[in-house]
Coordinates of all heavy atoms in Angstrom, one line a residue:
M1 N 49.9 -147.3 216.3 CA 48.9 -146.2 216.5 C 49.5 -145.0 217.1 O 49.1 -143.9 216.7 CB 47.8 -146.8 217.3 CG 46.6 -145.9 217.3 SD 45.8 -146.0 215.7 CE 44.2 -145.7 216.0
E2 N 50.4 -145.1 218.0 CA 51.0 -144.0 218.7 C 51.9 -143.1 217.7 O 51.9 -141.9 217.8 CB 51.9 -144.4 219.8 CG 51.1 -145.0 221.0 CD 52.0 -145.7 222.0 OE1 53.2 -145.5 221.9 OE2 51.4 -146.3 222.9
I3 N 52.5 -143.8 216.7 CA 53.3 -143.1 215.8 C 52.4 -142.3 214.8 O 52.8 -141.2 214.4 CB 54.2 -144.1 215.0 CG1 55.1 -144.8 215.9 CG2 54.8 -143.4 213.8 CD1 56.5 -145.0 215.5
N4 N 51.3 -142.7 214.5 CA 50.4 -141.9 213.6 C 50.0 -140.6 214.3 O 49.9 -139.6 213.7 CB 49.1 -142.7 213.3 CG 49.4 -143.9 212.4 OD1 50.4 -143.9 211.6 ND2 48.6 -144.9 212.4
F5 N 49.7 -140.7 215.6 CA 49.4 -139.4 216.3 C 50.5 -138.5 216.4 O 50.4 -137.3 216.3 CB 48.9 -139.8 217.8 CG 47.5 -140.4 217.8 CD1 47.3 -141.6 218.4 CD2 46.4 -139.8 217.2 CE1 46.1 -142.2 218.5 CE2 45.2 -140.4 217.2 CZ 45.0 -141.6 217.8
F6 N 51.7 -139.0 216.5 CA 52.9 -138.2 216.5 C 53.0 -137.4 215.2 O 53.3 -136.2 215.2 CB 54.2 -139.1 216.7 CG 55.5 -138.3 216.5 CD1 55.9 -137.5 217.5 CD2 56.2 -138.5 215.3 CE1 57.1 -136.8 217.3 CE2 57.4 -137.8 215.2 CZ 57.8 -136.9 216.1
W7 N 52.8 -138.1 214.0 CA 53.0 -137.4 212.7 C 51.8 -136.4 212.5 O 52.0 -135.4 211.9 CB 53.0 -138.4 211.6 CG 54.3 -139.1 211.6 CD1 54.6 -140.4 211.9 CD2 55.6 -138.5 211.4 NE1 55.9 -140.7 211.8 CE2 56.6 -139.6 211.5 CE3 56.1 -137.3 211.1 CZ2 58.0 -139.3 211.3 CZ3 57.4 -137.0 210.9 CH2 58.4 -138.1 211.0
I8 N 50.7 -136.7 213.0 CA 49.6 -135.8 213.0 C 49.9 -134.5 213.8 O 49.7 -133.4 213.3 CB 48.3 -136.4 213.4 CG1 47.8 -137.4 212.4 CG2 47.2 -135.3 213.6 CD1 46.6 -138.2 212.9
A9 N 50.5 -134.7 215.0 CA 50.9 -133.6 215.8 C 52.0 -132.7 215.1 O 51.9 -131.5 215.1 CB 51.3 -134.1 217.2
V10 N 52.9 -133.4 214.5 CA 54.0 -132.7 213.8 C 53.4 -131.9 212.6 O 53.8 -130.8 212.4 CB 55.1 -133.7 213.3 CG1 56.1 -133.0 212.4 CG2 55.9 -134.3 214.5
G11 N 52.5 -132.5 211.9 CA 51.9 -131.8 210.8 C 51.1 -130.6 211.2 O 51.1 -129.6 210.6
L12 N 50.3 -130.8 212.3 CA 49.6 -129.6 212.8 C 50.5 -128.5 213.3 O 50.2 -127.3 213.1 CB 48.6 -130.1 213.9 CG 47.4 -130.9 213.5 CD1 46.6 -131.4 214.7 CD2 46.5 -130.0 212.6
A13 N 51.6 -128.9 213.9 CA 52.5 -127.8 214.4 C 53.1 -127.1 213.2 O 53.3 -125.9 213.2 CB 53.6 -128.5 215.2
A14 N 53.5 -127.8 212.2 CA 54.1 -127.2 211.0 C 53.1 -126.3 210.3 O 53.3 -125.2 209.9 CB 54.6 -128.2 210.0
F15 N 51.8 -126.8 210.2 CA 50.7 -126.0 209.6 C 50.5 -124.7 210.4 O 50.4 -123.7 209.8 CB 49.5 -126.9 209.7 CG 48.3 -126.2 209.1 CD1 48.1 -126.0 207.8 CD2 47.3 -125.8 210.0 CE1 47.0 -125.3 207.3 CE2 46.1 -125.1 209.5 CZ 46.0 -124.9 208.2
G16 N 50.5 -124.8 211.7 CA 50.3 -123.6 212.5 C 51.5 -122.6 212.4 O 51.3 -121.4 212.3
Y17 N 52.7 -123.1 212.3 CA 53.8 -122.3 212.1 C 53.7 -121.5 210.8 O 53.9 -120.3 210.7 CB 55.1 -123.1 212.1 CG 56.3 -122.3 211.7 CD1 56.9 -121.4 212.6 CD2 56.9 -122.4 210.4 CE1 58.0 -120.6 212.2 CE2 58.0 -121.6 210.1 CZ 58.5 -120.8 211.0 OH 59.6 -120.0 210.6
F18 N 53.5 -122.2 209.7 CA 53.4 -121.6 208.4 C 52.2 -120.6 208.2 O 52.4 -119.5 207.6 CB 53.4 -122.6 207.2 CG 54.7 -123.3 207.1 CD1 54.8 -124.7 207.3 CD2 55.9 -122.6 206.8 CE1 56.1 -125.3 207.2 CE2 57.1 -123.2 206.6 CZ 57.2 -124.6 206.8
I19 N 51.1 -121.0 208.8 CA 50.0 -120.0 208.8 C 50.3 -118.8 209.6 O 50.0 -117.7 209.2 CB 48.7 -120.7 209.3 CG1 48.2 -121.8 208.4 CG2 47.6 -119.7 209.6 CD1 47.8 -121.4 207.0
G20 N 50.9 -119.0 210.8 CA 51.2 -117.8 211.6 C 52.3 -116.9 210.9 O 52.2 -115.7 211.0
D21 N 53.3 -117.5 210.3 CA 54.3 -116.8 209.6 C 53.7 -116.0 208.4 O 54.0 -114.8 208.1 CB 55.4 -117.7 209.0 CG 56.6 -117.0 208.6 OD1 57.0 -116.0 209.3 OD2 57.2 -117.3 207.6
G22 N 52.7 -116.6 207.7 CA 52.0 -115.9 206.6 C 51.2 -114.8 207.1 O 51.1 -113.7 206.5
L23 N 50.5 -115.0 208.2 CA 49.6 -113.9 208.8 C 50.5 -112.7 209.3 O 50.0 -111.6 209.3 CB 48.7 -114.5 209.9 CG 47.6 -115.4 209.4 CD1 46.9 -115.9 210.6 CD2 46.7 -114.6 208.5
K24 N 51.7 -113.0 209.8 CA 52.6 -112.0 210.3 C 52.9 -111.0 209.2 O 53.0 -109.8 209.4 CB 53.8 -112.7 210.8 CG 54.9 -111.7 211.4 CD 56.0 -112.4 212.0 CE 56.7 -113.3 211.1 NZ 57.9 -113.9 211.6
N25 N 53.0 -111.5 207.9 CA 53.4 -110.6 206.8 C 52.2 -110.2 206.0 O 52.3 -109.5 205.0 CB 54.4 -111.3 205.9 CG 55.7 -111.6 206.6 OD1 56.2 -110.8 207.4 ND2 56.2 -112.8 206.5
F26 N 51.0 -110.5 206.4 CA 49.8 -110.2 205.7 C 49.6 -108.7 205.7 O 49.7 -108.0 206.7 CB 48.6 -110.9 206.3 CG 47.3 -110.7 205.5 CD1 47.1 -111.4 204.4 CD2 46.3 -109.8 206.0 CE1 45.9 -111.2 203.6 CE2 45.2 -109.7 205.3 CZ 45.0 -110.3 204.1
G27 N 49.3 -108.1 204.5 CA 49.0 -106.7 204.4 C 50.3 -105.9 204.3 O 50.2 -104.6 204.1
K28 N 51.5 -106.5 204.3 CA 52.7 -105.7 204.2 C 53.2 -106.1 202.8 O 53.6 -107.2 202.5 CB 53.7 -106.1 205.2 CG 53.4 -105.8 206.6 CD 54.4 -106.3 207.6 CE 54.0 -106.1 209.0 NZ 55.0 -106.7 209.9
P29 N 53.3 -105.1 201.9 CA 53.9 -105.4 200.6 C 55.3 -105.8 200.6 O 56.1 -105.3 201.5 CB 53.7 -104.1 199.8 CG 53.5 -103.1 200.8 CD 53.0 -103.7 202.0
Q30 N 55.7 -106.6 199.7 CA 57.1 -107.0 199.7 C 58.0 -105.8 199.2 O 57.5 -105.0 198.5 CB 57.3 -108.2 198.8 CG 56.7 -109.5 199.3 CD 57.0 -110.6 198.3 OE1 57.5 -110.5 197.3 NE2 56.6 -111.8 198.7
K31 N 59.2 -105.8 199.6 CA 60.1 -104.7 199.2 C 60.3 -104.8 197.7 O 60.3 -105.9 197.1 CB 61.4 -104.9 199.9 CG 61.4 -104.6 201.4 CD 62.7 -104.8 202.0 CE 62.6 -104.6 203.5 NZ 63.9 -104.7 204.2
K32 N 60.5 -103.7 197.1 CA 60.8 -103.6 195.7 C 62.2 -104.1 195.5 O 63.1 -104.0 196.3 CB 60.7 -102.2 195.2 CG 59.3 -101.6 195.2 CD 59.3 -100.2 194.7 CE 57.9 -99.6 194.9 NZ 58.0 -98.2 194.5
S33 N 62.4 -104.7 194.3 CA 63.7 -105.2 194.0 C 64.7 -104.0 193.8 O 64.3 -103.0 193.3 CB 63.6 -106.0 192.7 OG 64.9 -106.3 192.2
S34 N 65.9 -104.2 194.2 CA 66.9 -103.1 194.1 C 67.4 -103.1 192.6 O 68.1 -102.1 192.3 CB 68.0 -103.3 195.1 OG 68.7 -104.6 194.8
Y35 N 67.1 -104.1 191.9 CA 67.5 -104.1 190.5 C 66.4 -103.6 189.6 O 65.3 -104.2 189.7 CB 68.0 -105.5 190.0 CG 69.1 -106.0 190.8 CD1 69.0 -107.0 191.8 CD2 70.4 -105.5 190.6 CE1 70.0 -107.4 192.5 CE2 71.5 -106.0 191.3 CZ 71.3 -106.9 192.2 OH 72.4 -107.4 193.0
P36 N 66.6 -102.6 188.8 CA 65.5 -102.1 187.9 C 65.2 -103.0 186.8 O 66.1 -103.7 186.2 CB 66.1 -100.8 187.4 CG 67.5 -100.9 187.5 CD 67.8 -101.8 188.6
Y37 N 63.9 -103.1 186.5 CA 63.5 -103.9 185.4 C 63.5 -102.9 184.2 O 62.7 -102.0 184.2 CB 62.1 -104.5 185.6 CG 61.5 -105.2 184.5 CD1 62.0 -106.4 184.1 CD2 60.3 -104.7 183.9 CE1 61.4 -107.1 183.0 CE2 59.8 -105.5 182.8 CZ 60.3 -106.6 182.4 OH 59.8 -107.3 181.4
L38 N 64.4 -103.2 183.2 CA 64.5 -102.2 182.1 C 63.8 -102.7 180.9 O 63.8 -103.9 180.5 CB 66.0 -102.1 181.8 CG 66.9 -101.6 182.9 CD1 68.4 -101.6 182.4 CD2 66.5 -100.2 183.3
I39 N 63.1 -101.8 180.2 CA 62.3 -102.1 179.1 C 62.9 -101.3 177.9 O 63.1 -100.1 178.0 CB 60.8 -101.6 179.3 CG1 60.3 -102.3 180.5 CG2 60.0 -101.9 178.0 CD1 58.9 -101.7 180.9
K40 N 63.1 -101.9 176.8 CA 63.6 -101.2 175.6 C 62.5 -100.3 175.1 O 61.3 -100.6 175.2 CB 63.9 -102.2 174.5 CG 65.2 -103.0 174.8 CD 65.6 -103.8 173.6 CE 66.8 -104.6 173.9 NZ 67.2 -105.4 172.7
E41 N 62.9 -99.2 174.5 CA 61.9 -98.2 174.0 C 60.9 -98.8 173.0 O 59.8 -98.5 173.0 CB 62.7 -97.0 173.3 CG 61.8 -95.9 172.9 CD 62.5 -94.7 172.4 OE1 63.7 -94.6 172.7 OE2 61.9 -93.9 171.7
K42 N 61.4 -99.8 172.2 CA 60.6 -100.4 171.2 C 59.5 -101.3 171.8 O 58.5 -101.7 171.2 CB 61.4 -101.1 170.1 CG 62.1 -102.3 170.7 CD 62.9 -103.1 169.6 CE 63.5 -104.3 170.2 NZ 63.6 -105.4 169.3
D43 N 59.7 -101.7 173.1 CA 58.8 -102.6 173.7 C 57.9 -101.9 174.7 O 57.1 -102.6 175.4 CB 59.6 -103.7 174.4 CG 60.4 -104.6 173.5 OD1 60.0 -104.7 172.3 OD2 61.4 -105.1 173.9
L44 N 58.0 -100.6 174.9 CA 57.1 -99.9 175.9 C 55.6 -100.1 175.6 O 54.9 -100.3 176.6 CB 57.4 -98.4 175.9 CG 58.6 -98.0 176.7 CD1 58.8 -96.5 176.5 CD2 58.4 -98.3 178.2
H45 N 55.2 -100.1 174.4 CA 53.8 -100.3 174.1 C 53.2 -101.6 174.6 O 52.0 -101.7 174.9 CB 53.5 -100.0 172.6 CG 54.1 -101.1 171.7 ND1 55.4 -101.1 171.4 CD2 53.5 -102.1 171.1 CE1 55.6 -102.1 170.6 NE2 54.5 -102.8 170.4
Y46 N 54.0 -102.6 174.6 CA 53.5 -103.9 175.2 C 53.2 -103.8 176.7 O 52.2 -104.4 177.1 CB 54.6 -105.0 175.0 CG 54.8 -105.5 173.6 CD1 56.1 -105.4 173.0 CD2 53.8 -105.9 172.8 CE1 56.3 -105.8 171.7 CE2 54.0 -106.3 171.5 CZ 55.2 -106.3 170.9 OH 55.5 -106.6 169.7
H47 N 54.0 -103.1 177.4 CA 53.9 -103.1 178.8 C 52.8 -102.1 179.3 O 52.3 -102.3 180.4 CB 55.2 -102.7 179.5 CG 56.3 -103.8 179.3 ND1 56.4 -104.8 180.2 CD2 57.3 -103.9 178.4 CE1 57.4 -105.6 179.8 NE2 57.9 -105.1 178.7
F48 N 52.5 -101.2 178.5 CA 51.5 -100.2 178.9 C 50.2 -100.2 178.1 O 49.4 -99.3 178.2 CB 52.2 -98.8 178.9 CG 53.3 -98.6 179.9 CD1 54.6 -98.7 179.4 CD2 53.0 -98.5 181.2 CE1 55.6 -98.6 180.3 CE2 54.1 -98.5 182.1 CZ 55.4 -98.5 181.7
S49 N 50.1 -101.2 177.3 CA 48.8 -101.4 176.5 C 48.5 -100.1 175.7 O 47.3 -99.7 175.7 CB 47.7 -101.8 177.4 OG 48.0 -103.0 178.0
L50 N 49.5 -99.5 175.1 CA 49.3 -98.4 174.2 C 49.8 -98.7 172.8 O 50.6 -99.7 172.7 CB 50.0 -97.2 174.8 CG 49.6 -96.6 176.1 CD1 50.6 -95.6 176.6 CD2 48.2 -96.0 176.0
S51 N 49.4 -98.0 171.8 CA 49.9 -98.2 170.5 C 51.3 -97.6 170.4 O 51.7 -96.8 171.2 CB 49.0 -97.6 169.5 OG 49.0 -96.2 169.6
K52 N 52.0 -98.0 169.4 CA 53.4 -97.5 169.2 C 53.3 -95.9 169.0 O 54.2 -95.2 169.4 CB 54.0 -98.1 168.0 CG 54.5 -99.5 168.2 CD 55.2 -100.1 167.1 CE 55.6 -101.5 167.3 NZ 56.4 -102.1 166.2
A53 N 52.3 -95.5 168.2 CA 52.1 -94.1 168.0 C 51.9 -93.3 169.3 O 52.4 -92.2 169.5 CB 51.0 -93.8 167.0
E54 N 51.1 -93.8 170.2 CA 50.8 -93.2 171.4 C 52.1 -93.1 172.3 O 52.3 -92.0 172.9 CB 49.7 -93.9 172.2 CG 48.3 -93.8 171.6 CD 47.3 -94.7 172.2 OE1 47.7 -95.8 172.6 OE2 46.1 -94.3 172.2
I55 N 52.9 -94.1 172.3 CA 54.1 -94.1 173.1 C 55.1 -93.1 172.5 O 55.7 -92.3 173.2 CB 54.8 -95.5 173.1 CG1 54.0 -96.4 174.1 CG2 56.2 -95.4 173.6 CD1 54.0 -96.1 175.5
E56 N 55.2 -93.1 171.2 CA 56.1 -92.1 170.5 C 55.6 -90.7 170.8 O 56.5 -89.8 171.1 CB 56.1 -92.3 169.0 CG 56.9 -93.6 168.6 CD 56.8 -93.8 167.1 OE1 56.3 -92.9 166.3 OE2 57.2 -94.9 166.7
E57 N 54.3 -90.4 170.8 CA 53.8 -89.1 171.1 C 54.1 -88.7 172.5 O 54.5 -87.6 172.8 CB 52.3 -89.1 170.8 CG 51.6 -87.7 171.1 CD 50.1 -87.7 170.9 OE1 49.6 -88.7 170.3 OE2 49.5 -86.8 171.4
L58 N 53.9 -89.6 173.5 CA 54.2 -89.4 174.9 C 55.7 -89.0 175.1 O 56.0 -88.1 175.8 CB 53.8 -90.6 175.7 CG 54.1 -90.5 177.2 CD1 53.2 -89.6 177.9 CD2 54.0 -91.9 177.8
L59 N 56.6 -89.8 174.5 CA 58.0 -89.6 174.7 C 58.5 -88.3 174.0 O 59.4 -87.6 174.4 CB 58.8 -90.8 174.2 CG 58.5 -92.1 175.0 CD1 59.3 -93.2 174.3 CD2 58.8 -91.9 176.4
D60 N 57.8 -88.0 172.8 CA 58.2 -86.7 172.2 C 57.7 -85.5 173.0 O 58.4 -84.5 173.1 CB 57.5 -86.6 170.8 CG 58.2 -87.6 169.8 OD1 59.4 -88.0 170.1 OD2 57.6 -87.9 168.7
K61 N 56.5 -85.6 173.6 CA 55.9 -84.5 174.3 C 56.7 -84.3 175.7 O 56.8 -83.2 176.2 CB 54.5 -84.8 174.6 CG 53.7 -83.6 175.2 CD 52.2 -83.9 175.2 CE 51.5 -82.7 175.8 NZ 50.1 -82.9 175.9
Y62 N 57.1 -85.4 176.3 CA 57.8 -85.4 177.6 C 59.2 -86.1 177.4 O 59.4 -87.2 177.8 CB 57.0 -86.1 178.6 CG 55.6 -85.5 178.8 CD1 54.5 -86.1 178.3 CD2 55.5 -84.3 179.5 CE1 53.2 -85.6 178.5 CE2 54.2 -83.8 179.6 CZ 53.1 -84.4 179.1 OH 51.9 -83.9 179.3
P63 N 60.2 -85.3 176.9 CA 61.5 -85.9 176.8 C 62.3 -86.2 178.1 O 63.3 -86.8 178.1 CB 62.3 -84.9 175.9 CG 61.6 -83.6 176.2 CD 60.1 -84.0 176.4
N64 N 61.7 -85.6 179.2 CA 62.4 -85.8 180.5 C 61.9 -87.1 181.2 O 62.1 -87.2 182.4 CB 62.1 -84.6 181.4 CG 60.6 -84.4 181.7 OD1 59.8 -84.9 181.0 ND2 60.3 -83.7 182.7
A65 N 61.3 -88.0 180.5 CA 60.9 -89.3 181.1 C 62.1 -90.0 181.6 O 63.2 -89.9 181.0 CB 60.1 -90.1 180.1
P66 N 62.0 -90.7 182.7 CA 63.2 -91.5 183.2 C 63.6 -92.5 182.2 O 62.9 -93.4 181.8 CB 62.7 -92.1 184.5 CG 61.2 -92.1 184.4 CD 60.8 -91.0 183.5
K67 N 64.9 -92.4 181.9 CA 65.4 -93.4 180.9 C 66.9 -93.6 181.1 O 67.6 -92.8 181.8 CB 65.2 -92.9 179.5 CG 65.8 -91.6 179.1 CD 65.3 -91.2 177.7 CE 65.7 -89.7 177.5 NZ 65.1 -89.2 176.4
I68 N 67.5 -94.6 180.5 CA 68.9 -94.9 180.6 C 69.3 -95.3 179.2 O 68.6 -96.0 178.5 CB 69.1 -96.1 181.5 CG1 68.7 -95.9 182.9 CG2 70.6 -96.5 181.5 CD1 68.7 -97.1 183.8
E69 N 70.4 -94.7 178.7 CA 70.9 -95.0 177.4 C 72.2 -95.8 177.5 O 73.2 -95.3 178.1 CB 71.1 -93.8 176.6 CG 71.3 -94.0 175.1 CD 71.0 -92.8 174.3 OE1 70.2 -92.0 174.6 OE2 71.8 -92.7 173.3
L70 N 72.2 -97.0 176.9 CA 73.4 -97.8 177.0 C 73.8 -98.3 175.5 O 72.9 -98.9 174.9 CB 73.2 -99.0 177.8 CG 72.9 -98.8 179.3 CD1 72.6 -100.1 180.0 CD2 74.1 -98.2 180.0
K71 N 74.9 -97.9 175.1 CA 75.4 -98.3 173.8 C 74.4 -98.0 172.7 O 74.1 -98.8 171.8 CB 75.8 -99.8 173.7 CG 76.9 -100.2 174.6 CD 77.2 -101.7 174.5 CE 78.4 -102.0 175.5 NZ 78.7 -103.4 175.4
G72 N 73.8 -96.9 172.7 CA 72.9 -96.4 171.7 C 71.5 -96.9 171.8 O 70.6 -96.6 171.0
T73 N 71.2 -97.8 172.8 CA 69.8 -98.3 173.0 C 69.2 -97.6 174.3 O 69.9 -97.5 175.3 CB 69.9 -99.8 173.2 OG1 70.5 -100.4 172.2 CG2 68.5 -100.4 173.4
T74 N 68.0 -97.1 174.1 CA 67.3 -96.5 175.2 C 66.5 -97.5 176.0 O 65.7 -98.2 175.4 CB 66.4 -95.3 174.7 OG1 67.3 -94.4 173.9 CG2 65.8 -94.5 175.8
Y75 N 66.7 -97.5 177.3 CA 65.9 -98.3 178.2 C 65.1 -97.5 179.2 O 65.6 -96.4 179.6 CB 66.8 -99.3 179.0 CG 67.6 -100.2 178.2 CD1 68.9 -99.9 177.7 CD2 67.1 -101.5 177.8 CE1 69.7 -100.8 177.0 CE2 67.8 -102.3 177.0 CZ 69.1 -102.0 176.6 OH 69.8 -102.9 175.9
Y76 N 64.0 -97.9 179.6 CA 63.2 -97.3 180.6 C 63.0 -98.2 181.8 O 62.5 -99.3 181.7 CB 61.8 -96.9 180.0 CG 61.9 -95.9 178.9 CD1 62.2 -96.2 177.6 CD2 61.8 -94.5 179.2 CE1 62.3 -95.3 176.6 CE2 62.0 -93.6 178.2 CZ 62.2 -94.0 176.9 OH 62.4 -93.0 175.9
P77 N 63.4 -97.7 183.0 CA 63.2 -98.5 184.2 C 61.7 -98.5 184.5 O 61.1 -97.5 184.7 CB 64.0 -97.7 185.3 CG 64.6 -96.5 184.6 CD 64.2 -96.5 183.2
Y78 N 61.2 -99.7 184.6 CA 59.8 -99.9 184.7 C 59.1 -99.2 185.9 O 58.2 -98.4 185.7 CB 59.5 -101.4 184.8 CG 58.0 -101.7 184.9 CD1 57.2 -101.7 183.8 CD2 57.4 -102.1 186.1 CE1 55.8 -101.9 183.9 CE2 56.1 -102.4 186.2 CZ 55.3 -102.3 185.1 OH 53.9 -102.5 185.2
Q79 N 59.7 -99.4 187.1 CA 59.0 -98.8 188.3 C 59.2 -97.3 188.3 O 58.2 -96.6 188.6 CB 59.6 -99.4 189.6 CG 58.8 -99.1 190.8 CD 57.4 -99.5 190.7 OE1 57.1 -100.6 190.4 NE2 56.5 -98.6 191.0
Q80 N 60.3 -96.8 187.9 CA 60.5 -95.3 187.8 C 59.5 -94.7 186.7 O 59.0 -93.7 186.9 CB 61.9 -95.0 187.5 CG 62.9 -95.2 188.6 CD 64.3 -94.8 188.2 OE1 64.6 -94.5 187.1 NE2 65.2 -94.8 189.2
F81 N 59.3 -95.4 185.6 CA 58.5 -94.9 184.6 C 57.0 -94.9 185.1 O 56.3 -94.0 184.8 CB 58.6 -95.8 183.3 CG 58.1 -95.2 182.1 CD1 58.8 -94.2 181.4 CD2 56.8 -95.5 181.6 CE1 58.4 -93.6 180.3 CE2 56.3 -94.9 180.4 CZ 57.1 -94.0 179.8
I82 N 56.6 -96.0 185.8 CA 55.3 -96.0 186.4 C 55.1 -94.9 187.4 O 54.0 -94.2 187.4 CB 55.0 -97.4 187.1 CG1 54.9 -98.5 186.1 CG2 53.8 -97.3 188.0 CD1 53.6 -98.6 185.3
D83 N 56.1 -94.7 188.2 CA 56.0 -93.6 189.2 C 55.9 -92.2 188.5 O 55.2 -91.4 188.9 CB 57.2 -93.6 190.2 CG 57.2 -94.9 191.1 OD1 56.1 -95.5 191.2 OD2 58.2 -95.2 191.6
W84 N 56.7 -92.1 187.5 CA 56.7 -90.8 186.7 C 55.3 -90.6 186.1 O 54.8 -89.5 186.1 CB 57.8 -90.9 185.7 CG 57.8 -89.7 184.8 CD1 58.2 -88.4 185.0 CD2 57.4 -89.7 183.4 NE1 58.1 -87.6 183.9 CE2 57.6 -88.3 182.9 CE3 56.8 -90.6 182.6 CZ2 57.2 -88.0 181.6 CZ3 56.5 -90.2 181.3 CH2 56.7 -88.9 180.8
L85 N 54.7 -91.6 185.5 CA 53.4 -91.5 184.8 C 52.3 -91.2 185.9 O 51.4 -90.5 185.6 CB 53.0 -92.8 184.1 CG 53.6 -93.0 182.7 CD1 53.2 -94.4 182.2 CD2 53.1 -91.9 181.8
S86 N 52.5 -91.7 187.1 CA 51.5 -91.6 188.1 C 51.6 -90.2 188.8 O 50.7 -89.7 189.5 CB 51.6 -92.6 189.2 OG 51.5 -93.9 188.6
S87 N 52.8 -89.6 188.7 CA 53.0 -88.3 189.4 C 52.2 -87.2 188.7 O 51.8 -87.3 187.5 CB 54.5 -88.0 189.4 OG 55.0 -87.6 188.2
S88 N 52.1 -86.1 189.4 CA 51.3 -85.0 188.8 C 52.3 -84.1 188.0 O 51.8 -83.1 187.4 CB 50.6 -84.2 189.9 OG 51.6 -83.7 190.8
D89 N 53.6 -84.4 187.9 CA 54.5 -83.5 187.2 C 54.2 -83.4 185.7 O 54.4 -82.3 185.2 CB 55.9 -84.1 187.4 CG 56.4 -84.1 188.8 OD1 55.8 -83.3 189.6 OD2 57.4 -84.8 189.1
I90 N 53.8 -84.5 185.1 CA 53.6 -84.4 183.6 C 52.2 -83.8 183.3 O 52.0 -83.5 182.1 CB 53.8 -85.8 183.0 CG1 52.7 -86.8 183.4 CG2 55.2 -86.3 183.2 CD1 52.7 -88.0 182.6
Y91 N 51.4 -83.6 184.3 CA 50.0 -83.1 184.0 C 49.9 -81.7 184.2 O 48.9 -81.1 184.0 CB 49.0 -83.9 184.8 CG 49.0 -85.4 184.4 CD1 49.5 -86.3 185.4 CD2 48.6 -85.9 183.2 CE1 49.6 -87.7 185.1 CE2 48.7 -87.2 182.9 CZ 49.2 -88.1 183.8 OH 49.3 -89.4 183.5
K92 N 51.0 -81.0 184.8 CA 51.0 -79.6 185.0 C 51.2 -78.9 183.7 O 52.0 -79.3 182.9 CB 52.0 -79.2 186.0 CG 51.7 -79.7 187.4 CD 52.9 -79.3 188.3 CE 52.6 -79.9 189.7 NZ 53.8 -79.7 190.6
K93 N 50.6 -77.8 183.5 CA 50.8 -77.0 182.2 C 51.6 -75.8 182.5 O 51.6 -75.1 183.5 CB 49.5 -76.7 181.6 CG 48.8 -77.9 181.0 CD 49.1 -77.9 179.6 CE 48.5 -79.2 179.0 NZ 48.5 -79.3 177.6

């Protein structure tokens, strides 16, 4: 009977530790990855729920969108592209 109380106490201590550790980080977003998530130009419409024509129009209208070109293939860093779309830079006339 004494061993059962021991394991209950150990379980409660572990439970308290993990809950406390989770609450310590509550409300703090995790750091962004240092590695960019790259999207091929042909796949942009999947990630932004736009048609291919809308993406082509956007990229034609704003050729300064953040991009990387490797071996003839154009990639767009996801987080930088989101930040660029969210900024007021492209909405100024």
Side-chain angles (χ1 to χ4, degrees):
M1 192 68 152
E2 294 170 5
I3 296 222
N4 290 336
F5 289 124
F6 172 76
W7 289 113
I8 290 174
V10 169
L12 285 174
F15 177 74
Y17 171 78
F18 289 117
I19 293 294
D21 194 43
L23 289 175
K24 180 174 57 176
N25 297 318
F26 186 73
K28 296 178 188 174
Q30 293 182 352
K31 293 181 181 178
K32 294 179 185 175
S33 173
S34 61
Y35 298 105
Y37 177 65
L38 300 176
I39 305 168
K40 288 184 180 180
E41 185 172 341
K42 66 179 183 148
D43 298 331
L44 272 176
H45 65 281
Y46 290 122
H47 293 276
F48 296 103
S49 300
L50 297 171
S51 68
K52 287 183 180 182
E54 291 171 328
I55 288 291
E56 288 175 13
E57 181 182 343
L58 177 72
L59 296 177
D60 287 341
K61 190 172 181 180
Y62 302 104
N64 63 340
K67 61 185 168 191
I68 299 170
E69 193 163 324
L70 299 171
K71 296 183 181 180
T73 305
T74 304
Y75 297 95
Y76 293 87
Y78 179 77
Q79 191 59 47
Q80 287 180 353
F81 198 78
I82 290 284
D83 294 342
W84 175 76
L85 278 176
S86 301
S87 71
S88 61
D89 295 342
I90 64 172
Y91 302 109
K92 293 178 183 175
K93 289 263 177 174

